[in-house]
Amino acid sequence: MKFEPALVKDTRARILEAALELFAEHGYAGTSVRRLARAVGLRESSLYNHFAGKEAIYHALIDAHGPASSADRLRGPRYAAVKNDPAAFCRLYVEDLLDQWSDPREQRFQELILAERNRFEGERAHYVEALFSDELGMVTRFFSGFALGEPIAAPQPSETARLFMAGLTFIRLEHYIMPAKASARARVRAALDRFLDTFLALIAAPQLGDAHGPPAARRS
């Protein structure tokens, strides 16, 4: 297994890249620090200059992938620009998720999390916090803002956020996590479009004088 230095810019990133591959392929217990150091061309003692040990590397991987990376994006300027536009927010969030799901590194990370989810109680709690506190919390804040501006029908923004993320999670399970081979991107894109059209129609605020319920979702 070779790791090209050109693919990563610093030693810490190279260690994480190698660890993700080795942990996913051989398991956490099956990957020694010596083997990991060898994969990135370091002495074992040199690796400890960057991480205290394997558990610290595992912790850093949780910070770099999955819900933690989604939460980081939600704090960025691209999302600040759509804070008053629920349809644009949902479509941007889904587009970013599709890119994330399609990334081989993210797929390896999910394999690792599923395989090692019971290894460390603290690391399991760290992942849960990244998902349910950070990422879900950020999405909830966006929906709370939308509700204050009254462009959506969301009496409970936190539950609206849960419904949104639950639908996306189900699609990910169907197309990436459960099958032996991931679905083609175009097929996943179509499933996401159908879900978004339905979700946006459900949360659309009724128009004044409209006796037929919420308007159909419009594509941005």
Side-chain angles (χ1 to χ4, degrees), residues 76-99:
R78 294 166 62 240
Y79 284 89
V82 296
K83 66 180 181 180
N84 297 317
D85 188 336
F89 165 81
C90 290
R91 295 197 181 282
L92 178 60
Y93 182 80
V94 165
E95 194 64 40
D96 282 344
L97 275 190
L98 180 57
D99 287 341

Side-chain angles (χ1 to χ4, degrees), residues 3-18 39-40 105:
F3 298 92
E4 295 294 337
L7 296 178
V8 286
K9 293 184 178 180
D10 56 53
T11 303
R12 182 181 173 90
R14 289 169 56 205
I15 293 170
L16 291 177
E17 191 85 3
V40 290
R105 292 171 299 180

